[in-house]
Amino acid sequence: MIVLSMSLRVLITFLLAAAATWVAPVHAETFPGKAVRIIVPFPPGGTQDLLARTLAEGLGQRLKQPVIVENRAGAAGNVGAEALARATPDGYTLGILSGVQSANAAFYRKLNYNLERDFVPVRAIGESGVLLVAAPHAPFRNVEELLAYAKANPGRANFGSTTSLTIDLLRSMTGADITMVTYKGIGEALQDAIGGRIEMVAGPAPQLIPLIRDGKVRALGIASTSRLKDLPGVKTVAESVPGYDAGMWYGVFAPAATPREVVQKLQGELGMVVKQADVVRRFNDIGVQASGPGATADLPTRMQVESARWRAVAARTGNYAN
């Protein structure tokens, strides 16, 4: 049996403590030593995919390592989010999450991840405007007229989109009786609106603004909180229905236990990327306004507020996904 002297035990304790304090800084200094991947919870070609590919190019240049985009689509974004939550928390796996995950936390009763527990926000990257538009034949020209029509004609106004979130929120806040028609793609919904089969559609502003200018549809209101510079005369829905907000945010996240020093390094590098003029232009081309640095700190609170709001909508509508 080996008996250690008091002084030797003190020395060993000191050395162990010193070693522990050096682990994180050394890890941060050597990161990254290999390729980084960004998980996108949706198929190629969508807004999150285009954001990820734009960021991957700039981030790869700054990190001097390949940054690979991996599409993990399925279950309205839940497959990719779960893959991110279960990834090794070492900074080499990131993911693009959005307001979709805030809604999923409310509308899916069973998820294999927890939005608030399993992720750490690395950088808020942008927000996109959402437009509510009416077909030319629709008997209403703005949100106030829509609500009056829905009250006088229960169920006769048909809304088409890939998700019911925009209209579910409006129905729950106003009691408007509007019929939801689900489509696989926004293009199909627009075709039916233009063809006279449905009255309303909601979708990304960049996709709808050209149709508004061509007179194929007309703007009813902006579903996010700010007016759009391209449509200065179009009011937000919130101007008619206070508190309404169905806008979309996007952020880069990492698994929750990722070392703080690595998160900070990635946060700084992404901050430099989103300020680049070419990146801002490419974001604008897909209808996303780059976020300022303060938006990252606000993300946890925003996710909590949004999830609570969507839970109230789910409870009123009973429109649960599982």
Side-chain angles (χ1 to χ4, degrees):
M1 179 177 178
I2 300 175
V3 180
L4 299 177
S5 67
M6 179 64 71
S7 59
L8 183 56
R9 288 199 298 270
V10 171
L11 177 60
I12 291 173
T13 301
F14 172 79
L15 291 174
L16 289 173
T21 63
W22 280 101
V23 170
V26 169
H27 183 75
E29 289 173 6
T30 58
F31 175 87
K34 60 181 181 180
V36 174
R37 66 171 175 155
I38 300 178
I39 294 175
V40 176
F42 292 97
T47 300
Q48 293 192 35
D49 179 69
L50 296 173
L51 287 173
R53 294 181 190 281
T54 300
L55 292 174
E57 183 179 328
L59 186 61
Q61 292 172 356
R62 295 198 60 84
L63 295 178
K64 297 180 173 55
Q65 291 287 351
V67 178
I68 302 162
V69 175
E70 180 181 329
N71 297 89
R72 297 288 295 273
N78 289 325
V79 170
E82 182 182 349
L84 177 62
R86 295 180 181 277
T88 302
D90 55 8
Y92 289 100
T93 301
L94 307 173
I96 303 284
L97 302 183
S98 70
V100 170
Q101 274 70 42
S102 290
N104 286 353
F107 286 95
Y108 282 81
R109 288 178 169 137
K110 295 180 181 179
L111 289 175
N112 294 322
Y113 64 89
N114 182 285
L115 186 60
E116 298 175 11
R117 181 194 65 215
D118 293 336
F119 307 105
V120 57
V122 178
R123 184 63 159 76
I125 55 175
E127 300 198 28
S128 63
V130 176
L131 271 172
L132 184 63
V133 300
H137 70 277
F140 38 80
R141 294 180 174 274
N142 53 50
V143 172
E144 292 91 340
E145 291 183 7
L146 162 64
L147 296 176
Y149 179 84
K151 181 177 181 180
N153 303 274
R156 291 192 60 184
N158 295 313
F159 169 83
S161 188
T162 57
T163 172
S164 66
L165 295 180
T166 306
I167 209 66
D168 276 346
L169 183 59
L170 186 64
R171 291 189 296 194
S172 69
M173 294 181 72
T174 65
D177 189 346
I178 299 170
T179 300
M180 173 68 197
V181 183
T182 303
Y183 291 84
K184 292 182 179 179
I186 190 68
E188 297 175 6
L190 286 168
Q191 288 177 1
D192 275 4
I194 295 169
R197 288 175 285 277
I198 61 174
E199 284 71 40
M200 289 177 291
V201 176
Q207 192 169 353
L208 297 177
I209 287 174
L211 298 177
I212 294 170
R213 289 174 174 163
D214 290 343
K216 294 181 178 179
V217 295
R218 56 175 179 255
L220 286 177
I222 299 160
S224 36
T225 55
S226 301
R227 292 197 183 193
L228 301 177
K229 63 179 181 179
D230 292 326
L231 298 170
V234 179
K235 297 194 301 184
T236 66
V237 177
E239 291 177 65
S240 303
V241 184
Y244 182 95
D245 178 13
M248 187 64 64
W249 56 264
Y250 305 93
V252 176
F253 288 73
T258 302
R260 180 173 57 87
E261 293 80 5
V262 173
V263 171
Q264 290 175 335
K265 179 178 178 64
L266 288 165
Q267 188 176 86
E269 299 295 355
L270 283 166
M272 297 301 294
V273 171
V274 298
K275 289 194 298 185
Q276 296 172 4
D278 182 59
V279 171
V280 172
R281 178 187 60 77
R282 291 167 70 178
F283 276 24
N284 287 338
D285 287 345
I286 57 175
V288 175
Q289 181 178 357
S291 298
T296 303
D298 295 336
L299 265 181
T301 299
R302 181 168 185 175
M303 290 189 296
Q304 291 174 358
V305 170
E306 287 191 0
S307 293
R309 182 174 66 220
W310 291 123
R311 286 189 187 98
V313 172
R316 291 190 196 110
T317 63
N319 189 21
Y320 292 100
N322 60 10

